[in-house]
Amino acid sequence: MDIFRLPRKDVITLALFSIVVLTMPIWLAPLGAAYPGLMQQFAIFAIFAVGFNILFGLTGYLSFGHAAFLGVGSYTAVWSFKLLTMDAIPALIFAIIMSGVFALAIGFVSLRRSGIYFSILTLAFAQMSYNLAYSVLTPITNGETALQLTSQDPRIIDMMFRDRLAGLPSPSLLGTSLGGYGGFYLCAAILLVVFFIAQKIFTSPFGMQLRAIKSNQTRMSYTGFNTRPYTLAAFVISGMYAGLAGGLLAVTDPLAGAERMQWTASGEVVLMTILGGVGTLLGPVIGAWLIKYMENIFSAFNARILADLFSWLPDGVQDGVVLVSSKFVGEGWKLTEGLVFVLVVVFLPGGIMEGTRRIKSLFGARRANRSASKEQLSTTAAE
Amino acid sequence: MKTPENVVLHVADVHKNFGGLHALADIDLQVEEGKTHAIIGPNGAGKSTLLNVVIGRLAPTSGAVVFDGQVLTGKKPHEINQLGVSRVFQTPEIFTDLSVLQNVMTPAFAKRDGAFKVNIFRPLDDEKAVREEAEATLEDVGLIDRRAVGAGSLSRGDKRRLELAMCLIQKPRLLLLDEPTAGMSRHDTNTTIELLKKIKSRGMTKVIIEHDMHVVFSLADKISVLAGGRIIAEGLPADVRGNPRVQEAYLGGAH
């Protein structure tokens, strides 16, 4: 069946990627990050970044407002919990549909412009959503206190099958509670599915057409393509990815606040994508993991941990090193993030994926020569 | 306006003003099916403006462009292309970030699937028919050996040939060529002429804008001479060559 077919290179990538994602609890343990809450974030923000890259990486349209769709997804999922059922499936489906509708509306207007004007338009829409969530839309978003579950929620579907219990219910999947590792494996499984979909897009004629739009939009229209629906389709698909990620944030922690839509959140996914490698499949995932790792682990470093780390240095030197390096961790982790970002953009414009490519070509120059003749359709997708 | 039956492109009474400047005036041009029609004229005569009006990049101030019974005026570029009109630009417009083969495959999809289709089920590698067609077209223009390289790394002459291949794969009914040999070496020019002669035998209608008289007289069945935004002479190459008004406008001008 065509629908499940991928080029061999991508099948291998998908297999390896699945192993890496599903064994996270093992290989993250030595890095001190193997707790479910953080691993859930790794999976969720990878979904967000992979989806963002479908727009930015393929069509070149840089959206600075994708956090709006993340927020819409979260609010929708929480409302699904409140009104219908605590099951994750309807919550996620509604999150995807709702963010898709929002993306269609915002994309329809924003895509009338390109370049910096497009970016500014998306930023304006996202900030508008953020401010509305805080003000006019308080009945829907619960404003500053964030939208939360209460024991009085109607939950119509759940109430048909069982009585109201004391205390707050938690999200479940077909009756199984989604705490801890359950939540992580749900996020991980969904990440693998949407990664596969992204691979399908990257290796398809549609993906090539999106790349062609990025390369030369004029030629595209004189070639007989109506470019607007193409960019809009990419925008809606990536908005739905963001909505799904937002829905999963609500599934793993059922509350939704407006700060999720703020421009810093939109900027973060841009950072993730550029850091990992724009237009590659794995790059955004790696970028998301790196930034979430720094945000959660680096920010927890304090002077005592640093002192232990550098205890092998002579006393005077140790104090100096700890003093300097403490500025880059803990509250100062953003400084490290910024420096890493600057270094990557200056020396590796293709992100971390370009770094690995360069290392590979250093070692495998001879092998590459042999296989180059075979590789006629140079789809960068498998990377 | 009446269009004779064998005329595939009819530029009917077109005027184009830019502010007070009359870039085109009283243009009436009839291109016959299967013929190569050259438009020549000194710099600033309005040749490129005329082509831009035909392709829908510029709207005429008055008048209409009729292709195969359909009015092109007011249509979008992709709609005009879907009717069977392809264009080679003066500066090659290609997809520099894609491989040479992908550059030629892309227009084939526009021809097959129309102006918009979300085609994600079958991987690109499995599109054997499109790929073979693209390879055959690259063979035609002599770029088959470069199919795997990025199109951005091609020489200027090769970029033009690639753009030509991108138009040819669509088997357009009308091919518009804007100075297809400008900036080419004599050798590349001759290869291109040979190539265009080869296509001509397949019955494709062509409109060529060209400076190079050698190219024009090698290819054209009919020539229209444009000067100051008006057609000052029209006819078979031999007639035009001997026309004193043409010699005055053309040779007395920039060239």
Side-chain angles (χ1 to χ4, degrees), chain A residues 2-3 5 7 200 203-206 208-209 211-212 215-216 218-226 229-230 376-378, chain B residues 55 57 78 81-82 87 93-97 106-107 109-110 115-117 119-126 131 163 170:
Chain A
D2 278 348
I3 190 167
R5 279 182 63 83
K200 285 294 290 183
T203 56
S204 69
F206 178 66
M208 177 174 77
Q209 281 144 14
R211 281 200 192 92
S215 186
N216 189 340
T218 310
R219 178 33 94 190
M220 235 5 215
S221 49
Y222 286 98
T223 292
F225 287 105
N226 190 359
Y230 276 96
Q376 289 158 357
L377 277 178
S378 60
Chain B
I55 202 73
R57 209 178 216 187
H78 70 263
N81 174 281
Q82 289 288 345
R87 172 172 180 181
E93 294 276 1
I94 57 170
F95 306 118
T96 46
D97 303 331
T106 303
F109 283 111
F116 174 64
K117 187 179 178 194
N119 210 337
I120 67 165
F121 293 124
R122 180 181 293 177
L124 194 56
D125 291 5
D126 290 357
R131 187 188 171 130
E163 196 187 22
Q170 295 192 314

Short mmCIF file of all heavy atoms in Angstrom, two decimals, chain A residues 2-3 5 7 200 203-206 208-209 211-212 215-216 218-226 229-230 376-378, chain B residues 55 57 78 81-82 87 93-97 106-107 109-110 115-117 119-126 131 163 170:
data_model
loop_
_atom_site.label_atom_id
_atom_site.label_comp_id
_atom_site.label_asym_id
_atom_site.label_seq_id
_atom_site.Cartn_x
_atom_site.Cartn_y
_atom_site.Cartn_z
N ASP A 2 0.53 2.14 -0.88
CA ASP A 2 1.31 3.38 -0.99
C ASP A 2 1.38 4.15 0.31
O ASP A 2 2.39 4.76 0.63
CB ASP A 2 0.69 4.29 -2.06
CG ASP A 2 1.14 3.88 -3.45
OD1 ASP A 2 2.08 3.07 -3.52
OD2 ASP A 2 0.55 4.35 -4.42
N ILE A 3 0.27 4.09 1.05
CA ILE A 3 0.15 4.98 2.20
C ILE A 3 1.19 4.67 3.27
O ILE A 3 1.60 5.54 4.03
CB ILE A 3 -1.29 4.94 2.76
CG1 ILE A 3 -1.49 6.02 3.79
CG2 ILE A 3 -1.64 3.60 3.35
CD1 ILE A 3 -2.94 6.23 4.14
N ARG A 5 4.22 3.33 2.51
CA ARG A 5 5.54 3.19 1.89
C ARG A 5 6.45 4.38 2.18
O ARG A 5 6.02 5.52 2.18
CB ARG A 5 5.39 3.01 0.38
CG ARG A 5 5.04 1.61 -0.03
CD ARG A 5 4.97 1.51 -1.53
NE ARG A 5 6.25 1.78 -2.15
CZ ARG A 5 7.20 0.86 -2.27
NH1 ARG A 5 7.00 -0.35 -1.85
NH2 ARG A 5 8.34 1.16 -2.85
N PRO A 7 10.84 5.50 1.43
CA PRO A 7 12.13 5.06 0.90
C PRO A 7 12.91 4.30 1.98
O PRO A 7 12.72 4.57 3.16
CB PRO A 7 12.83 6.37 0.55
CG PRO A 7 11.75 7.36 0.40
CD PRO A 7 10.66 6.95 1.33
N LYS A 200 6.49 11.04 5.55
CA LYS A 200 5.69 10.89 4.34
C LYS A 200 5.65 12.22 3.56
O LYS A 200 5.79 12.24 2.35
CB LYS A 200 4.25 10.47 4.69
CG LYS A 200 4.07 9.05 5.11
CD LYS A 200 4.36 8.05 4.02
CE LYS A 200 3.34 8.03 2.90
NZ LYS A 200 3.65 6.99 1.90
N THR A 203 9.08 13.09 1.90
CA THR A 203 9.53 12.27 0.77
C THR A 203 8.52 12.23 -0.37
O THR A 203 8.71 11.51 -1.33
CB THR A 203 9.78 10.82 1.23
OG1 THR A 203 8.58 10.32 1.84
CG2 THR A 203 10.92 10.74 2.22
N SER A 204 7.44 13.01 -0.25
CA SER A 204 6.38 12.94 -1.27
C SER A 204 6.54 14.04 -2.31
O SER A 204 7.29 15.00 -2.10
CB SER A 204 5.02 13.12 -0.58
OG SER A 204 4.91 14.45 -0.11
N PRO A 205 5.82 13.92 -3.42
CA PRO A 205 5.79 15.02 -4.39
C PRO A 205 5.32 16.33 -3.73
O PRO A 205 5.85 17.40 -4.03
CB PRO A 205 4.77 14.56 -5.43
CG PRO A 205 4.80 13.07 -5.34
CD PRO A 205 5.07 12.74 -3.91
N PHE A 206 4.37 16.22 -2.80
CA PHE A 206 3.89 17.42 -2.09
C PHE A 206 5.04 18.11 -1.36
O PHE A 206 5.19 19.34 -1.43
CB PHE A 206 2.79 17.00 -1.11
CG PHE A 206 2.23 18.12 -0.27
CD1 PHE A 206 1.51 19.15 -0.85
CD2 PHE A 206 2.42 18.15 1.11
CE1 PHE A 206 0.98 20.18 -0.08
CE2 PHE A 206 1.90 19.17 1.88
CZ PHE A 206 1.17 20.18 1.28
N MET A 208 8.20 17.94 -2.12
CA MET A 208 9.09 18.56 -3.11
C MET A 208 8.49 19.87 -3.61
O MET A 208 9.20 20.85 -3.82
CB MET A 208 9.31 17.60 -4.28
CG MET A 208 10.16 18.19 -5.38
SD MET A 208 10.57 17.02 -6.68
CE MET A 208 9.05 16.94 -7.60
N GLN A 209 7.16 19.88 -3.77
CA GLN A 209 6.52 21.11 -4.25
C GLN A 209 6.64 22.23 -3.21
O GLN A 209 6.84 23.39 -3.57
CB GLN A 209 5.05 20.81 -4.60
CG GLN A 209 4.95 20.13 -5.96
CD GLN A 209 3.85 19.09 -6.03
OE1 GLN A 209 2.98 19.02 -5.18
NE2 GLN A 209 3.90 18.26 -7.06
N ARG A 211 9.13 22.54 -1.11
CA ARG A 211 10.52 22.99 -1.22
C ARG A 211 10.71 23.88 -2.44
O ARG A 211 11.47 24.84 -2.42
CB ARG A 211 11.46 21.79 -1.36
CG ARG A 211 11.75 21.10 -0.07
CD ARG A 211 13.03 20.27 -0.20
NE ARG A 211 13.17 19.39 0.92
CZ ARG A 211 12.71 18.14 0.94
NH1 ARG A 211 12.13 17.63 -0.13
NH2 ARG A 211 12.85 17.40 2.01
N ALA A 212 10.01 23.52 -3.52
CA ALA A 212 10.13 24.32 -4.74
C ALA A 212 9.57 25.72 -4.50
O ALA A 212 10.11 26.71 -5.01
CB ALA A 212 9.39 23.64 -5.88
N SER A 215 12.12 27.65 -2.82
CA SER A 215 13.24 27.95 -3.70
C SER A 215 12.91 29.06 -4.68
O SER A 215 13.71 29.97 -4.90
CB SER A 215 13.63 26.68 -4.45
OG SER A 215 14.78 26.89 -5.21
N ASN A 216 11.75 29.01 -5.32
CA ASN A 216 11.41 30.01 -6.33
C ASN A 216 9.91 30.05 -6.56
O ASN A 216 9.36 29.30 -7.36
CB ASN A 216 12.14 29.68 -7.64
CG ASN A 216 12.02 30.78 -8.66
OD1 ASN A 216 11.12 31.63 -8.57
ND2 ASN A 216 12.91 30.79 -9.62
N THR A 218 8.09 32.36 -7.91
CA THR A 218 7.71 32.85 -9.24
C THR A 218 7.66 31.71 -10.24
O THR A 218 6.67 31.53 -10.96
CB THR A 218 8.73 33.89 -9.74
OG1 THR A 218 8.91 34.84 -8.70
CG2 THR A 218 8.27 34.56 -10.99
N ARG A 219 8.73 30.93 -10.25
CA ARG A 219 8.77 29.82 -11.20
C ARG A 219 7.62 28.86 -10.93
O ARG A 219 7.01 28.32 -11.84
CB ARG A 219 10.13 29.11 -11.09
CG ARG A 219 10.33 27.89 -11.96
CD ARG A 219 9.64 27.91 -13.28
NE ARG A 219 10.40 28.40 -14.40
CZ ARG A 219 9.85 28.66 -15.59
NH1 ARG A 219 8.55 28.51 -15.79
NH2 ARG A 219 10.58 29.10 -16.57
N MET A 220 7.31 28.67 -9.64
CA MET A 220 6.24 27.76 -9.26
C MET A 220 4.92 28.18 -9.91
O MET A 220 4.19 27.35 -10.45
CB MET A 220 6.09 27.81 -7.75
CG MET A 220 6.17 26.53 -6.97
SD MET A 220 6.55 25.02 -7.78
CE MET A 220 5.55 23.92 -6.82
N SER A 221 4.60 29.48 -9.87
CA SER A 221 3.31 29.86 -10.44
C SER A 221 3.35 29.84 -11.96
O SER A 221 2.35 29.49 -12.59
CB SER A 221 2.86 31.22 -9.91
OG SER A 221 3.90 32.14 -10.02
N TYR A 222 4.51 30.15 -12.57
CA TYR A 222 4.58 30.05 -14.03
C TYR A 222 4.71 28.59 -14.48
O TYR A 222 4.71 28.31 -15.67
CB TYR A 222 5.74 30.89 -14.58
CG TYR A 222 5.41 32.36 -14.54
CD1 TYR A 222 5.85 33.16 -13.49
CD2 TYR A 222 4.60 32.93 -15.52
CE1 TYR A 222 5.50 34.50 -13.42
CE2 TYR A 222 4.25 34.26 -15.46
CZ TYR A 222 4.70 35.04 -14.41
OH TYR A 222 4.34 36.36 -14.35
N THR A 223 4.84 27.69 -13.52
CA THR A 223 4.89 26.27 -13.84
C THR A 223 3.50 25.66 -13.74
O THR A 223 3.29 24.50 -14.03
CB THR A 223 5.89 25.58 -12.88
OG1 THR A 223 7.18 26.06 -13.20
CG2 THR A 223 5.91 24.09 -13.00
N GLY A 224 2.53 26.47 -13.29
CA GLY A 224 1.15 25.98 -13.26
C GLY A 224 0.65 25.60 -11.89
O GLY A 224 -0.42 25.02 -11.76
N PHE A 225 1.43 25.92 -10.84
CA PHE A 225 0.97 25.62 -9.50
C PHE A 225 0.34 26.85 -8.87
O PHE A 225 0.89 27.95 -8.96
CB PHE A 225 2.13 25.16 -8.60
CG PHE A 225 2.61 23.79 -8.91
CD1 PHE A 225 3.80 23.60 -9.60
CD2 PHE A 225 1.89 22.67 -8.52
CE1 PHE A 225 4.25 22.33 -9.89
CE2 PHE A 225 2.34 21.40 -8.81
CZ PHE A 225 3.52 21.22 -9.50
N ASN A 226 -0.78 26.63 -8.20
CA ASN A 226 -1.38 27.69 -7.41
C ASN A 226 -0.72 27.62 -6.03
O ASN A 226 -1.02 26.73 -5.24
CB ASN A 226 -2.89 27.45 -7.32
CG ASN A 226 -3.61 28.64 -6.72
OD1 ASN A 226 -2.99 29.63 -6.36
ND2 ASN A 226 -4.91 28.53 -6.60
N PRO A 229 -2.73 27.73 -1.93
CA PRO A 229 -3.22 26.57 -1.18
C PRO A 229 -2.11 25.65 -0.68
O PRO A 229 -2.28 25.01 0.35
CB PRO A 229 -4.13 25.84 -2.18
CG PRO A 229 -3.99 26.53 -3.46
CD PRO A 229 -3.32 27.83 -3.26
N TYR A 230 -1.00 25.61 -1.39
CA TYR A 230 0.11 24.78 -0.92
C TYR A 230 0.66 25.31 0.41
O TYR A 230 0.83 24.57 1.38
CB TYR A 230 1.25 24.74 -1.95
CG TYR A 230 1.03 23.71 -3.02
CD1 TYR A 230 0.47 24.06 -4.23
CD2 TYR A 230 1.35 22.38 -2.81
CE1 TYR A 230 0.24 23.11 -5.22
CE2 TYR A 230 1.13 21.43 -3.78
CZ TYR A 230 0.57 21.80 -4.99
OH TYR A 230 0.35 20.85 -5.94
N GLN A 376 20.21 9.59 -6.92
CA GLN A 376 19.85 10.61 -7.90
C GLN A 376 18.80 11.56 -7.37
O GLN A 376 18.82 12.73 -7.65
CB GLN A 376 19.35 9.91 -9.17
CG GLN A 376 20.51 9.25 -9.89
CD GLN A 376 20.03 8.15 -10.79
OE1 GLN A 376 18.84 7.84 -10.84
NE2 GLN A 376 20.94 7.56 -11.52
N LEU A 377 17.87 11.00 -6.59
CA LEU A 377 16.85 11.86 -6.01
C LEU A 377 17.34 12.27 -4.65
O LEU A 377 17.12 11.57 -3.68
CB LEU A 377 15.53 11.10 -5.87
CG LEU A 377 14.67 11.04 -7.10
CD1 LEU A 377 13.46 10.21 -6.80
CD2 LEU A 377 14.26 12.43 -7.52
N SER A 378 18.05 13.38 -4.56
CA SER A 378 18.67 13.71 -3.28
C SER A 378 17.64 14.28 -2.34
O SER A 378 17.53 15.47 -2.14
CB SER A 378 19.80 14.70 -3.50
OG SER A 378 19.29 15.86 -4.08
N ILE B 55 1.80 36.74 -20.78
CA ILE B 55 1.89 35.73 -19.73
C ILE B 55 1.09 36.11 -18.48
O ILE B 55 0.98 35.36 -17.54
CB ILE B 55 3.39 35.48 -19.38
CG1 ILE B 55 3.57 34.12 -18.72
CG2 ILE B 55 3.97 36.57 -18.53
CD1 ILE B 55 3.43 32.97 -19.68
N ARG B 57 1.68 38.73 -16.46
CA ARG B 57 2.43 39.42 -15.42
C ARG B 57 2.02 40.89 -15.37
O ARG B 57 2.04 41.52 -14.33
CB ARG B 57 3.93 39.31 -15.71
CG ARG B 57 4.77 39.34 -14.49
CD ARG B 57 6.24 39.17 -14.82
NE ARG B 57 6.89 38.39 -13.78
CZ ARG B 57 8.19 38.18 -13.73
NH1 ARG B 57 8.97 38.66 -14.67
NH2 ARG B 57 8.71 37.48 -12.76
N HIS B 78 -0.59 30.88 -13.02
CA HIS B 78 -0.72 29.42 -13.01
C HIS B 78 -1.90 28.96 -13.87
O HIS B 78 -1.86 27.88 -14.46
CB HIS B 78 -0.83 28.88 -11.58
CG HIS B 78 -2.12 29.20 -10.88
ND1 HIS B 78 -2.25 30.26 -10.01
CD2 HIS B 78 -3.32 28.60 -10.92
CE1 HIS B 78 -3.49 30.28 -9.55
NE2 HIS B 78 -4.16 29.29 -10.09
N ASN B 81 -0.64 28.98 -17.42
CA ASN B 81 0.20 27.81 -17.66
C ASN B 81 -0.65 26.55 -17.84
O ASN B 81 -0.40 25.74 -18.73
CB ASN B 81 1.18 27.61 -16.51
CG ASN B 81 1.97 26.33 -16.66
OD1 ASN B 81 1.48 25.25 -16.36
ND2 ASN B 81 3.19 26.44 -17.17
N GLN B 82 -1.68 26.42 -17.00
CA GLN B 82 -2.51 25.22 -17.09
C GLN B 82 -3.25 25.13 -18.42
O GLN B 82 -3.65 24.04 -18.83
CB GLN B 82 -3.50 25.16 -15.92
CG GLN B 82 -2.88 24.86 -14.56
CD GLN B 82 -2.42 23.41 -14.41
OE1 GLN B 82 -2.79 22.55 -15.19
NE2 GLN B 82 -1.59 23.14 -13.41
N ARG B 87 6.79 29.42 -20.24
CA ARG B 87 7.67 30.54 -20.54
C ARG B 87 9.09 30.32 -20.05
O ARG B 87 9.30 29.87 -18.93
CB ARG B 87 7.12 31.81 -19.89
CG ARG B 87 8.10 32.96 -20.02
CD ARG B 87 7.54 34.26 -19.59
NE ARG B 87 8.59 35.27 -19.76
CZ ARG B 87 8.44 36.54 -19.45
NH1 ARG B 87 7.30 36.98 -18.98
NH2 ARG B 87 9.43 37.38 -19.64
N GLU B 93 14.70 31.21 -14.42
CA GLU B 93 13.96 31.01 -13.17
C GLU B 93 13.87 29.51 -12.93
O GLU B 93 13.06 28.82 -13.55
CB GLU B 93 12.54 31.59 -13.29
CG GLU B 93 12.48 33.10 -13.43
CD GLU B 93 12.53 33.82 -12.08
OE1 GLU B 93 12.65 33.16 -11.04
OE2 GLU B 93 12.47 35.07 -12.10
N ILE B 94 14.75 29.02 -12.05
CA ILE B 94 14.73 27.59 -11.75
C ILE B 94 14.70 27.41 -10.24
O ILE B 94 14.78 28.39 -9.49
CB ILE B 94 15.98 26.88 -12.33
CG1 ILE B 94 17.24 27.55 -11.79
CG2 ILE B 94 15.96 26.91 -13.84
CD1 ILE B 94 18.50 26.80 -12.10
N PHE B 95 14.57 26.16 -9.79
CA PHE B 95 14.58 25.89 -8.35
C PHE B 95 16.01 25.56 -7.92
O PHE B 95 16.44 24.42 -7.99
CB PHE B 95 13.64 24.74 -8.02
CG PHE B 95 12.25 24.93 -8.53
CD1 PHE B 95 11.70 24.07 -9.45
CD2 PHE B 95 11.48 26.00 -8.10
CE1 PHE B 95 10.41 24.25 -9.93
CE2 PHE B 95 10.19 26.20 -8.57
CZ PHE B 95 9.66 25.32 -9.49
N THR B 96 16.74 26.59 -7.49
CA THR B 96 18.17 26.39 -7.23
C THR B 96 18.44 25.42 -6.09
O THR B 96 19.51 24.86 -6.01
CB THR B 96 18.85 27.74 -6.92
OG1 THR B 96 18.02 28.43 -5.98
CG2 THR B 96 19.02 28.57 -8.16
N ASP B 97 17.46 25.23 -5.18
CA ASP B 97 17.70 24.34 -4.03
C ASP B 97 17.36 22.88 -4.32
O ASP B 97 17.58 22.02 -3.50
CB ASP B 97 16.86 24.80 -2.81
CG ASP B 97 17.15 26.23 -2.44
OD1 ASP B 97 18.28 26.68 -2.69
OD2 ASP B 97 16.26 26.90 -1.91
N THR B 106 9.13 18.52 -11.21
CA THR B 106 8.11 19.39 -10.62
C THR B 106 7.07 19.86 -11.65
O THR B 106 5.87 19.72 -11.42
CB THR B 106 8.79 20.57 -9.91
OG1 THR B 106 9.67 20.05 -8.93
CG2 THR B 106 7.78 21.47 -9.22
N PRO B 107 7.49 20.41 -12.81
CA PRO B 107 6.48 20.84 -13.79
C PRO B 107 5.65 19.67 -14.32
O PRO B 107 4.48 19.86 -14.68
CB PRO B 107 7.31 21.44 -14.93
CG PRO B 107 8.66 21.67 -14.40
CD PRO B 107 8.86 20.75 -13.25
N PHE B 109 4.47 17.30 -12.59
CA PHE B 109 3.36 17.12 -11.64
C PHE B 109 2.28 18.17 -11.87
O PHE B 109 1.09 17.88 -11.74
CB PHE B 109 3.86 17.18 -10.20
CG PHE B 109 4.55 15.92 -9.75
CD1 PHE B 109 5.91 15.91 -9.50
CD2 PHE B 109 3.83 14.75 -9.62
CE1 PHE B 109 6.55 14.76 -9.11
CE2 PHE B 109 4.47 13.58 -9.21
CZ PHE B 109 5.83 13.58 -8.96
N ALA B 110 2.69 19.38 -12.21
CA ALA B 110 1.70 20.43 -12.47
C ALA B 110 0.84 20.03 -13.67
O ALA B 110 -0.36 20.25 -13.70
CB ALA B 110 2.39 21.76 -12.73
N ALA B 115 -3.35 22.43 -10.72
CA ALA B 115 -2.73 23.54 -9.99
C ALA B 115 -2.53 23.26 -8.51
O ALA B 115 -1.69 23.88 -7.87
CB ALA B 115 -3.58 24.80 -10.17
N PHE B 116 -3.29 22.33 -7.94
CA PHE B 116 -3.11 22.04 -6.51
C PHE B 116 -3.56 20.62 -6.20
O PHE B 116 -4.67 20.22 -6.54
CB PHE B 116 -3.92 23.02 -5.65
CG PHE B 116 -3.90 22.68 -4.18
CD1 PHE B 116 -2.70 22.72 -3.46
CD2 PHE B 116 -5.05 22.32 -3.51
CE1 PHE B 116 -2.66 22.41 -2.12
CE2 PHE B 116 -5.02 22.01 -2.15
CZ PHE B 116 -3.83 22.06 -1.45
N LYS B 117 -2.67 19.86 -5.59
CA LYS B 117 -3.04 18.54 -5.10
C LYS B 117 -2.11 18.16 -3.96
O LYS B 117 -0.89 18.26 -4.09
CB LYS B 117 -2.93 17.52 -6.23
CG LYS B 117 -3.46 16.15 -5.82
CD LYS B 117 -3.36 15.15 -6.95
CE LYS B 117 -3.85 13.79 -6.47
NZ LYS B 117 -3.48 12.72 -7.41
N ASN B 119 -0.32 15.64 -2.49
CA ASN B 119 0.08 14.35 -3.00
C ASN B 119 1.09 13.74 -2.04
O ASN B 119 2.29 13.84 -2.25
CB ASN B 119 0.74 14.63 -4.37
CG ASN B 119 0.58 13.50 -5.31
OD1 ASN B 119 0.38 12.37 -4.88
ND2 ASN B 119 0.68 13.79 -6.59
N ILE B 120 0.60 13.12 -0.95
CA ILE B 120 1.60 12.64 0.01
C ILE B 120 1.61 11.12 0.16
O ILE B 120 2.42 10.58 0.90
CB ILE B 120 1.44 13.27 1.42
CG1 ILE B 120 0.16 12.83 2.09
CG2 ILE B 120 1.55 14.77 1.38
CD1 ILE B 120 0.15 13.13 3.57
N PHE B 121 0.73 10.42 -0.53
CA PHE B 121 0.65 8.99 -0.27
C PHE B 121 1.77 8.22 -0.95
O PHE B 121 2.43 7.40 -0.34
CB PHE B 121 -0.71 8.45 -0.68
CG PHE B 121 -1.81 9.00 0.19
CD1 PHE B 121 -2.88 9.67 -0.32
CD2 PHE B 121 -1.70 8.87 1.57
CE1 PHE B 121 -3.86 10.19 0.51
CE2 PHE B 121 -2.67 9.39 2.41
CZ PHE B 121 -3.76 10.06 1.87
N ARG B 122 2.01 8.51 -2.21
CA ARG B 122 3.05 7.76 -2.90
C ARG B 122 4.38 8.52 -2.83
O ARG B 122 4.44 9.68 -3.22
CB ARG B 122 2.66 7.55 -4.36
CG ARG B 122 3.71 6.78 -5.13
CD ARG B 122 3.33 6.60 -6.56
NE ARG B 122 2.17 5.73 -6.69
CZ ARG B 122 1.60 5.46 -7.86
NH1 ARG B 122 2.06 6.00 -8.96
NH2 ARG B 122 0.55 4.66 -7.92
N PRO B 123 5.44 7.86 -2.32
CA PRO B 123 6.73 8.56 -2.25
C PRO B 123 7.22 8.98 -3.63
O PRO B 123 6.93 8.33 -4.63
CB PRO B 123 7.68 7.52 -1.64
CG PRO B 123 6.81 6.50 -1.02
CD PRO B 123 5.52 6.50 -1.76
N LEU B 124 8.00 10.05 -3.64
CA LEU B 124 8.55 10.59 -4.88
C LEU B 124 9.35 9.52 -5.63
O LEU B 124 9.29 9.43 -6.85
CB LEU B 124 9.46 11.76 -4.50
CG LEU B 124 9.91 12.70 -5.58
CD1 LEU B 124 8.72 13.27 -6.31
CD2 LEU B 124 10.71 13.83 -4.95
N ASP B 125 10.08 8.70 -4.87
CA ASP B 125 10.92 7.67 -5.49
C ASP B 125 10.10 6.66 -6.27
O ASP B 125 10.62 5.98 -7.15
CB ASP B 125 11.73 6.93 -4.42
CG ASP B 125 12.78 7.84 -3.80
OD1 ASP B 125 12.79 9.03 -4.15
OD2 ASP B 125 13.58 7.35 -2.99
N ASP B 126 8.81 6.52 -5.94
CA ASP B 126 7.98 5.53 -6.62
C ASP B 126 7.27 6.11 -7.85
O ASP B 126 6.55 5.40 -8.54
CB ASP B 126 6.90 4.98 -5.67
CG ASP B 126 7.54 4.11 -4.60
OD1 ASP B 126 8.77 3.91 -4.67
OD2 ASP B 126 6.82 3.63 -3.70
N ARG B 131 9.43 10.24 -13.44
CA ARG B 131 10.88 10.26 -13.40
C ARG B 131 11.49 9.91 -14.76
O ARG B 131 12.42 10.56 -15.23
CB ARG B 131 11.33 9.26 -12.34
CG ARG B 131 12.79 9.31 -12.08
CD ARG B 131 13.17 8.17 -11.17
NE ARG B 131 14.60 8.11 -11.09
CZ ARG B 131 15.25 8.04 -9.96
NH1 ARG B 131 14.61 8.02 -8.83
NH2 ARG B 131 16.57 8.00 -9.96
N GLU B 163 15.92 25.26 -17.69
CA GLU B 163 14.62 25.93 -17.70
C GLU B 163 13.82 25.52 -18.94
O GLU B 163 12.61 25.32 -18.88
CB GLU B 163 14.80 27.45 -17.65
CG GLU B 163 13.53 28.17 -17.25
CD GLU B 163 13.64 29.67 -17.36
OE1 GLU B 163 14.51 30.15 -18.10
OE2 GLU B 163 12.85 30.36 -16.69
N GLN B 170 6.29 19.83 -20.03
CA GLN B 170 4.85 20.07 -19.96
C GLN B 170 4.17 19.97 -21.32
O GLN B 170 2.96 20.10 -21.42
CB GLN B 170 4.58 21.45 -19.34
CG GLN B 170 5.03 21.55 -17.90
CD GLN B 170 4.50 22.78 -17.22
OE1 GLN B 170 4.55 23.88 -17.77
NE2 GLN B 170 4.00 22.62 -16.01
#
